[in-house]
PDB file of all heavy atoms in Angstrom:
ATOM      1  N   ASP V 383       1.933 -12.726  -9.334  1.00  0.00           N
ATOM      2  CA  ASP V 383       1.343 -13.963  -8.707  1.00  0.00           C
ATOM      3  C   ASP V 383       0.118 -13.912  -7.957  1.00  0.00           C
ATOM      4  O   ASP V 383      -0.779 -14.824  -7.961  1.00  0.00           O
ATOM      5  CB  ASP V 383       2.485 -14.435  -7.680  1.00  0.00           C
ATOM      6  CG  ASP V 383       3.795 -14.839  -8.398  1.00  0.00           C
ATOM      7  OD1 ASP V 383       3.772 -15.349  -9.578  1.00  0.00           O
ATOM      8  OD2 ASP V 383       4.860 -14.523  -7.783  1.00  0.00           O
ATOM      9  N   LEU V 384      -0.161 -12.796  -7.277  1.00  0.00           N
ATOM     10  CA  LEU V 384      -1.340 -12.552  -6.503  1.00  0.00           C
ATOM     11  C   LEU V 384      -2.436 -11.927  -7.241  1.00  0.00           C
ATOM     12  O   LEU V 384      -3.697 -12.106  -6.714  1.00  0.00           O
ATOM     13  CB  LEU V 384      -1.063 -11.761  -5.231  1.00  0.00           C
ATOM     14  CG  LEU V 384       0.114 -12.208  -4.344  1.00  0.00           C
ATOM     15  CD1 LEU V 384       0.339 -11.075  -3.239  1.00  0.00           C
ATOM     16  CD2 LEU V 384      -0.264 -13.546  -3.712  1.00  0.00           C
ATOM     17  N   GLY V 385      -2.179 -11.518  -8.433  1.00  0.00           N
ATOM     18  CA  GLY V 385      -3.350 -10.839  -9.145  1.00  0.00           C
ATOM     19  C   GLY V 385      -3.662  -9.535  -8.680  1.00  0.00           C
ATOM     20  O   GLY V 385      -2.821  -8.761  -7.999  1.00  0.00           O
ATOM     21  N   GLN V 386      -4.908  -9.048  -8.642  1.00  0.00           N
ATOM     22  CA  GLN V 386      -5.320  -7.673  -8.180  1.00  0.00           C
ATOM     23  C   GLN V 386      -5.613  -7.892  -6.626  1.00  0.00           C
ATOM     24  O   GLN V 386      -6.626  -8.685  -6.240  1.00  0.00           O
ATOM     25  CB  GLN V 386      -6.673  -7.285  -8.888  1.00  0.00           C
ATOM     26  CG  GLN V 386      -6.932  -5.868  -8.664  1.00  0.00           C
ATOM     27  CD  GLN V 386      -5.965  -4.932  -9.672  1.00  0.00           C
ATOM     28  OE1 GLN V 386      -5.874  -5.332 -10.832  1.00  0.00           O
ATOM     29  NE2 GLN V 386      -5.639  -3.855  -9.190  1.00  0.00           N
ATOM     30  N   VAL V 387      -4.826  -7.254  -5.876  1.00  0.00           N
ATOM     31  CA  VAL V 387      -4.941  -7.362  -4.457  1.00  0.00           C
ATOM     32  C   VAL V 387      -5.781  -6.225  -3.878  1.00  0.00           C
ATOM     33  O   VAL V 387      -5.529  -5.021  -4.162  1.00  0.00           O
ATOM     34  CB  VAL V 387      -3.590  -7.354  -3.741  1.00  0.00           C
ATOM     35  CG1 VAL V 387      -3.713  -7.539  -2.260  1.00  0.00           C
ATOM     36  CG2 VAL V 387      -2.597  -8.277  -4.290  1.00  0.00           C
ATOM     37  N   PRO V 388      -6.931  -6.521  -3.139  1.00  0.00           N
ATOM     38  CA  PRO V 388      -7.936  -5.516  -2.655  1.00  0.00           C
ATOM     39  C   PRO V 388      -7.087  -4.595  -1.733  1.00  0.00           C
ATOM     40  O   PRO V 388      -6.235  -4.923  -0.866  1.00  0.00           O
ATOM     41  CB  PRO V 388      -8.773  -6.326  -1.851  1.00  0.00           C
ATOM     42  CG  PRO V 388      -8.834  -7.699  -2.356  1.00  0.00           C
ATOM     43  CD  PRO V 388      -7.417  -7.970  -2.717  1.00  0.00           C
ATOM     44  N   PRO V 389      -7.318  -3.147  -1.772  1.00  0.00           N
ATOM     45  CA  PRO V 389      -6.618  -2.197  -1.000  1.00  0.00           C
ATOM     46  C   PRO V 389      -6.754  -2.467   0.453  1.00  0.00           C
ATOM     47  O   PRO V 389      -5.755  -2.221   1.232  1.00  0.00           O
ATOM     48  CB  PRO V 389      -7.284  -0.941  -1.519  1.00  0.00           C
ATOM     49  CG  PRO V 389      -7.827  -1.177  -2.767  1.00  0.00           C
ATOM     50  CD  PRO V 389      -8.153  -2.590  -2.778  1.00  0.00           C
ATOM     51  N   ASP V 390      -7.950  -2.866   0.951  1.00  0.00           N
ATOM     52  CA  ASP V 390      -8.093  -3.037   2.303  1.00  0.00           C
ATOM     53  C   ASP V 390      -7.137  -4.165   2.972  1.00  0.00           C
ATOM     54  O   ASP V 390      -6.786  -4.152   4.172  1.00  0.00           O
ATOM     55  CB  ASP V 390      -9.577  -3.335   2.734  1.00  0.00           C
ATOM     56  CG  ASP V 390     -10.111  -4.667   2.106  1.00  0.00           C
ATOM     57  OD1 ASP V 390      -9.615  -4.962   1.026  1.00  0.00           O
ATOM     58  OD2 ASP V 390     -10.975  -5.277   2.739  1.00  0.00           O
ATOM     59  N   ARG V 391      -6.735  -5.062   2.032  1.00  0.00           N
ATOM     60  CA  ARG V 391      -5.885  -6.221   2.486  1.00  0.00           C
ATOM     61  C   ARG V 391      -4.481  -5.743   2.551  1.00  0.00           C
ATOM     62  O   ARG V 391      -3.807  -5.778   3.596  1.00  0.00           O
ATOM     63  CB  ARG V 391      -6.005  -7.322   1.612  1.00  0.00           C
ATOM     64  CG  ARG V 391      -7.351  -8.030   1.578  1.00  0.00           C
ATOM     65  CD  ARG V 391      -7.560  -8.835   2.937  1.00  0.00           C
ATOM     66  NE  ARG V 391      -6.639  -9.966   3.026  1.00  0.00           N
ATOM     67  CZ  ARG V 391      -5.758 -10.122   3.920  1.00  0.00           C
ATOM     68  NH1 ARG V 391      -5.571  -9.275   4.867  1.00  0.00           N
ATOM     69  NH2 ARG V 391      -4.943 -11.141   3.995  1.00  0.00           N
ATOM     70  N   PHE V 392      -3.909  -5.178   1.470  1.00  0.00           N
ATOM     71  CA  PHE V 392      -2.532  -4.860   1.413  1.00  0.00           C
ATOM     72  C   PHE V 392      -2.216  -3.671   2.221  1.00  0.00           C
ATOM     73  O   PHE V 392      -1.109  -3.431   2.837  1.00  0.00           O
ATOM     74  CB  PHE V 392      -1.893  -4.701   0.070  1.00  0.00           C
ATOM     75  CG  PHE V 392      -2.308  -3.538  -0.838  1.00  0.00           C
ATOM     76  CD1 PHE V 392      -1.617  -2.267  -0.611  1.00  0.00           C
ATOM     77  CD2 PHE V 392      -3.278  -3.639  -1.700  1.00  0.00           C
ATOM     78  CE1 PHE V 392      -2.084  -1.195  -1.351  1.00  0.00           C
ATOM     79  CE2 PHE V 392      -3.653  -2.587  -2.452  1.00  0.00           C
ATOM     80  CZ  PHE V 392      -2.950  -1.351  -2.383  1.00  0.00           C
ATOM     81  N   ILE V 393      -3.141  -2.633   2.480  1.00  0.00           N
ATOM     82  CA  ILE V 393      -2.855  -1.421   3.124  1.00  0.00           C
ATOM     83  C   ILE V 393      -2.714  -1.767   4.715  1.00  0.00           C
ATOM     84  O   ILE V 393      -1.917  -1.253   5.415  1.00  0.00           O
ATOM     85  CB  ILE V 393      -4.011  -0.408   3.015  1.00  0.00           C
ATOM     86  CG1 ILE V 393      -3.841   0.265   1.539  1.00  0.00           C
ATOM     87  CG2 ILE V 393      -3.970   0.727   4.074  1.00  0.00           C
ATOM     88  CD1 ILE V 393      -5.024   1.129   1.247  1.00  0.00           C
ATOM     89  N   ARG V 394      -3.617  -2.741   5.147  1.00  0.00           N
ATOM     90  CA  ARG V 394      -3.510  -3.164   6.562  1.00  0.00           C
ATOM     91  C   ARG V 394      -2.216  -3.814   6.738  1.00  0.00           C
ATOM     92  O   ARG V 394      -1.550  -3.632   7.745  1.00  0.00           O
ATOM     93  CB  ARG V 394      -4.754  -4.040   6.842  1.00  0.00           C
ATOM     94  CG  ARG V 394      -4.814  -4.477   8.325  1.00  0.00           C
ATOM     95  CD  ARG V 394      -6.203  -5.030   8.738  1.00  0.00           C
ATOM     96  NE  ARG V 394      -6.351  -6.269   7.966  1.00  0.00           N
ATOM     97  CZ  ARG V 394      -7.322  -6.565   7.161  1.00  0.00           C
ATOM     98  NH1 ARG V 394      -8.027  -5.576   6.672  1.00  0.00           N
ATOM     99  NH2 ARG V 394      -7.458  -7.786   6.608  1.00  0.00           N
ATOM    100  N   VAL V 395      -1.748  -4.660   5.886  1.00  0.00           N
ATOM    101  CA  VAL V 395      -0.389  -5.307   6.021  1.00  0.00           C
ATOM    102  C   VAL V 395       0.717  -4.289   5.966  1.00  0.00           C
ATOM    103  O   VAL V 395       1.650  -4.340   6.832  1.00  0.00           O
ATOM    104  CB  VAL V 395      -0.319  -6.432   4.936  1.00  0.00           C
ATOM    105  CG1 VAL V 395       1.067  -6.995   5.159  1.00  0.00           C
ATOM    106  CG2 VAL V 395      -1.324  -7.473   5.067  1.00  0.00           C
ATOM    107  N   SER V 396       0.583  -3.289   5.137  1.00  0.00           N
ATOM    108  CA  SER V 396       1.583  -2.457   4.968  1.00  0.00           C
ATOM    109  C   SER V 396       1.817  -1.440   6.171  1.00  0.00           C
ATOM    110  O   SER V 396       2.743  -0.958   6.679  1.00  0.00           O
ATOM    111  CB  SER V 396       1.421  -1.423   3.830  1.00  0.00           C
ATOM    112  OG  SER V 396       0.363  -0.718   3.857  1.00  0.00           O
ATOM    113  N   GLU V 397       0.624  -1.310   6.932  1.00  0.00           N
ATOM    114  CA  GLU V 397       0.673  -0.459   8.249  1.00  0.00           C
ATOM    115  C   GLU V 397       1.334  -1.259   9.226  1.00  0.00           C
ATOM    116  O   GLU V 397       2.049  -0.795  10.096  1.00  0.00           O
ATOM    117  CB  GLU V 397      -0.745  -0.156   8.637  1.00  0.00           C
ATOM    118  CG  GLU V 397      -1.471   1.025   7.713  1.00  0.00           C
ATOM    119  CD  GLU V 397      -2.808   1.334   8.142  1.00  0.00           C
ATOM    120  OE1 GLU V 397      -3.454   0.429   8.768  1.00  0.00           O
ATOM    121  OE2 GLU V 397      -3.275   2.410   7.839  1.00  0.00           O
ATOM    122  N   GLY V 398       1.152  -2.634   9.208  1.00  0.00           N
ATOM    123  CA  GLY V 398       1.844  -3.523  10.199  1.00  0.00           C
ATOM    124  C   GLY V 398       3.220  -3.581  10.040  1.00  0.00           C
ATOM    125  O   GLY V 398       3.957  -3.567  11.043  1.00  0.00           O
ATOM    126  N   ASN V 399       3.737  -3.571   8.725  1.00  0.00           N
ATOM    127  CA  ASN V 399       5.231  -3.736   8.565  1.00  0.00           C
ATOM    128  C   ASN V 399       5.943  -2.450   8.291  1.00  0.00           C
ATOM    129  O   ASN V 399       7.187  -2.489   8.065  1.00  0.00           O
ATOM    130  CB  ASN V 399       5.462  -4.802   7.504  1.00  0.00           C
ATOM    131  CG  ASN V 399       5.069  -4.401   6.198  1.00  0.00           C
ATOM    132  OD1 ASN V 399       4.685  -3.160   5.850  1.00  0.00           O
ATOM    133  ND2 ASN V 399       5.037  -5.318   5.157  1.00  0.00           N
ATOM    134  N   GLY V 400       5.226  -1.328   8.301  1.00  0.00           N
ATOM    135  CA  GLY V 400       5.915  -0.092   8.068  1.00  0.00           C
ATOM    136  C   GLY V 400       5.968   0.401   6.675  1.00  0.00           C
ATOM    137  O   GLY V 400       6.401   1.567   6.411  1.00  0.00           O
ATOM    138  N   MET V 401       5.586  -0.407   5.727  1.00  0.00           N
ATOM    139  CA  MET V 401       5.772  -0.037   4.314  1.00  0.00           C
ATOM    140  C   MET V 401       4.726   1.048   3.916  1.00  0.00           C
ATOM    141  O   MET V 401       4.881   1.659   2.877  1.00  0.00           O
ATOM    142  CB  MET V 401       5.554  -1.200   3.363  1.00  0.00           C
ATOM    143  CG  MET V 401       6.855  -1.930   3.132  1.00  0.00           C
ATOM    144  SD  MET V 401       6.857  -2.848   1.493  1.00  0.00           S
ATOM    145  CE  MET V 401       6.821  -1.402   0.456  1.00  0.00           C
ATOM    146  N   ILE V 402       3.681   1.318   4.740  1.00  0.00           N
ATOM    147  CA  ILE V 402       2.694   2.337   4.439  1.00  0.00           C
ATOM    148  C   ILE V 402       3.423   3.745   4.254  1.00  0.00           C
ATOM    149  O   ILE V 402       2.944   4.615   3.547  1.00  0.00           O
ATOM    150  CB  ILE V 402       1.691   2.426   5.595  1.00  0.00           C
ATOM    151  CG1 ILE V 402       0.566   3.269   5.026  1.00  0.00           C
ATOM    152  CG2 ILE V 402       2.258   2.776   6.875  1.00  0.00           C
ATOM    153  CD1 ILE V 402      -0.189   2.845   3.878  1.00  0.00           C
ATOM    154  N   ILE V 403       4.611   3.889   4.956  1.00  0.00           N
ATOM    155  CA  ILE V 403       5.244   5.163   4.784  1.00  0.00           C
ATOM    156  C   ILE V 403       5.766   5.526   3.309  1.00  0.00           C
ATOM    157  O   ILE V 403       5.422   6.416   2.692  1.00  0.00           O
ATOM    158  CB  ILE V 403       6.464   5.204   5.696  1.00  0.00           C
ATOM    159  CG1 ILE V 403       6.026   4.972   7.164  1.00  0.00           C
ATOM    160  CG2 ILE V 403       7.280   6.474   5.625  1.00  0.00           C
ATOM    161  CD1 ILE V 403       5.174   6.067   7.659  1.00  0.00           C
ATOM    162  N   ASP V 404       6.450   4.397   2.701  1.00  0.00           N
ATOM    163  CA  ASP V 404       6.838   4.558   1.295  1.00  0.00           C
ATOM    164  C   ASP V 404       5.727   4.531   0.356  1.00  0.00           C
ATOM    165  O   ASP V 404       5.705   5.284  -0.632  1.00  0.00           O
ATOM    166  CB  ASP V 404       7.854   3.386   1.013  1.00  0.00           C
ATOM    167  CG  ASP V 404       9.115   3.616   1.769  1.00  0.00           C
ATOM    168  OD1 ASP V 404       9.480   4.629   2.148  1.00  0.00           O
ATOM    169  OD2 ASP V 404       9.793   2.442   1.973  1.00  0.00           O
ATOM    170  N   ILE V 405       4.727   3.764   0.654  1.00  0.00           N
ATOM    171  CA  ILE V 405       3.455   3.636  -0.241  1.00  0.00           C
ATOM    172  C   ILE V 405       2.694   4.965  -0.112  1.00  0.00           C
ATOM    173  O   ILE V 405       2.401   5.519  -1.184  1.00  0.00           O
ATOM    174  CB  ILE V 405       2.631   2.522   0.148  1.00  0.00           C
ATOM    175  CG1 ILE V 405       3.357   1.172  -0.141  1.00  0.00           C
ATOM    176  CG2 ILE V 405       1.258   2.597  -0.527  1.00  0.00           C
ATOM    177  CD1 ILE V 405       2.530  -0.057   0.408  1.00  0.00           C
ATOM    178  N   GLY V 406       2.640   5.542   1.106  1.00  0.00           N
ATOM    179  CA  GLY V 406       2.015   6.855   1.124  1.00  0.00           C
ATOM    180  C   GLY V 406       2.678   7.892   0.421  1.00  0.00           C
ATOM    181  O   GLY V 406       2.032   8.830  -0.248  1.00  0.00           O
ATOM    182  N   HIS V 407       4.026   8.031   0.372  1.00  0.00           N
ATOM    183  CA  HIS V 407       4.698   9.018  -0.377  1.00  0.00           C
ATOM    184  C   HIS V 407       4.482   8.788  -1.872  1.00  0.00           C
ATOM    185  O   HIS V 407       4.395   9.839  -2.576  1.00  0.00           O
ATOM    186  CB  HIS V 407       6.128   8.852   0.035  1.00  0.00           C
ATOM    187  CG  HIS V 407       6.541   9.459   1.341  1.00  0.00           C
ATOM    188  ND1 HIS V 407       6.135  10.668   1.804  1.00  0.00           N
ATOM    189  CD2 HIS V 407       7.267   8.977   2.452  1.00  0.00           C
ATOM    190  CE1 HIS V 407       6.525  10.876   3.063  1.00  0.00           C
ATOM    191  NE2 HIS V 407       7.230   9.887   3.448  1.00  0.00           N
ATOM    192  N   PHE V 408       4.421   7.506  -2.265  1.00  0.00           N
ATOM    193  CA  PHE V 408       4.152   7.316  -3.737  1.00  0.00           C
ATOM    194  C   PHE V 408       2.859   7.826  -4.128  1.00  0.00           C
ATOM    195  O   PHE V 408       2.669   8.460  -5.089  1.00  0.00           O
ATOM    196  CB  PHE V 408       4.248   5.775  -3.942  1.00  0.00           C
ATOM    197  CG  PHE V 408       3.622   5.340  -5.233  1.00  0.00           C
ATOM    198  CD1 PHE V 408       4.238   5.583  -6.443  1.00  0.00           C
ATOM    199  CD2 PHE V 408       2.340   4.893  -5.264  1.00  0.00           C
ATOM    200  CE1 PHE V 408       3.584   5.112  -7.635  1.00  0.00           C
ATOM    201  CE2 PHE V 408       1.690   4.489  -6.416  1.00  0.00           C
ATOM    202  CZ  PHE V 408       2.331   4.678  -7.519  1.00  0.00           C
ATOM    203  N   VAL V 409       1.831   7.560  -3.318  1.00  0.00           N
ATOM    204  CA  VAL V 409       0.520   8.038  -3.565  1.00  0.00           C
ATOM    205  C   VAL V 409       0.422   9.543  -3.568  1.00  0.00           C
ATOM    206  O   VAL V 409      -0.171  10.184  -4.559  1.00  0.00           O
ATOM    207  CB  VAL V 409      -0.567   7.557  -2.529  1.00  0.00           C
ATOM    208  CG1 VAL V 409      -1.871   8.169  -2.723  1.00  0.00           C
ATOM    209  CG2 VAL V 409      -0.673   5.990  -2.644  1.00  0.00           C
ATOM    210  N   ILE V 410       0.982  10.206  -2.689  1.00  0.00           N
ATOM    211  CA  ILE V 410       0.992  11.709  -2.594  1.00  0.00           C
ATOM    212  C   ILE V 410       1.734  12.338  -3.887  1.00  0.00           C
ATOM    213  O   ILE V 410       1.191  13.157  -4.581  1.00  0.00           O
ATOM    214  CB  ILE V 410       1.672  12.172  -1.321  1.00  0.00           C
ATOM    215  CG1 ILE V 410       0.782  11.937  -0.103  1.00  0.00           C
ATOM    216  CG2 ILE V 410       1.974  13.794  -1.378  1.00  0.00           C
ATOM    217  CD1 ILE V 410       1.285  12.222   1.294  1.00  0.00           C
ATOM    218  N   ASP V 411       2.895  11.819  -4.172  1.00  0.00           N
ATOM    219  CA  ASP V 411       3.733  12.333  -5.296  1.00  0.00           C
ATOM    220  C   ASP V 411       3.007  12.093  -6.600  1.00  0.00           C
ATOM    221  O   ASP V 411       2.907  13.049  -7.412  1.00  0.00           O
ATOM    222  CB  ASP V 411       5.153  11.748  -5.219  1.00  0.00           C
ATOM    223  CG  ASP V 411       6.023  12.312  -4.069  1.00  0.00           C
ATOM    224  OD1 ASP V 411       5.798  13.449  -3.691  1.00  0.00           O
ATOM    225  OD2 ASP V 411       6.847  11.591  -3.565  1.00  0.00           O
ATOM    226  N   ARG V 412       2.456  10.837  -6.802  1.00  0.00           N
ATOM    227  CA  ARG V 412       1.951  10.598  -8.106  1.00  0.00           C
ATOM    228  C   ARG V 412       0.591  11.358  -8.277  1.00  0.00           C
ATOM    229  O   ARG V 412       0.344  11.924  -9.385  1.00  0.00           O
ATOM    230  CB  ARG V 412       1.625   9.005  -8.224  1.00  0.00           C
ATOM    231  CG  ARG V 412       0.930   8.568  -9.512  1.00  0.00           C
ATOM    232  CD  ARG V 412       1.763   8.943 -10.745  1.00  0.00           C
ATOM    233  NE  ARG V 412       3.027   8.242 -10.690  1.00  0.00           N
ATOM    234  CZ  ARG V 412       3.286   7.102 -11.160  1.00  0.00           C
ATOM    235  NH1 ARG V 412       2.302   6.321 -11.510  1.00  0.00           N
ATOM    236  NH2 ARG V 412       4.370   6.577 -11.203  1.00  0.00           N
ATOM    237  N   ALA V 413      -0.181  11.396  -7.212  1.00  0.00           N
ATOM    238  CA  ALA V 413      -1.467  12.143  -7.425  1.00  0.00           C
ATOM    239  C   ALA V 413      -1.179  13.701  -7.589  1.00  0.00           C
ATOM    240  O   ALA V 413      -1.838  14.287  -8.414  1.00  0.00           O
ATOM    241  CB  ALA V 413      -2.216  11.930  -6.138  1.00  0.00           C
TER     242      ALA V 413
END
């Protein structure tokens, strides 16, 4: 629905709601 969301937008939101923890683990494991 939102299309390509800029990283600076969704990372800031994820830090606010705590989802940055799960997203961070995804980035580390996949990389």
Side-chain angles (χ1 to χ4, degrees):
D383 296 324
L384 303 177
Q386 199 78 39
V387 185
D390 63 326
R391 292 290 293 117
F392 72 80
I393 288 175
R394 187 164 66 246
V395 175
S396 69
E397 287 179 335
N399 66 11
M401 272 209 66
I402 189 65
I403 302 298
D404 292 334
I405 293 174
H407 287 311
F408 163 80
V409 172
I410 290 173
D411 286 331
R412 176 59 59 85

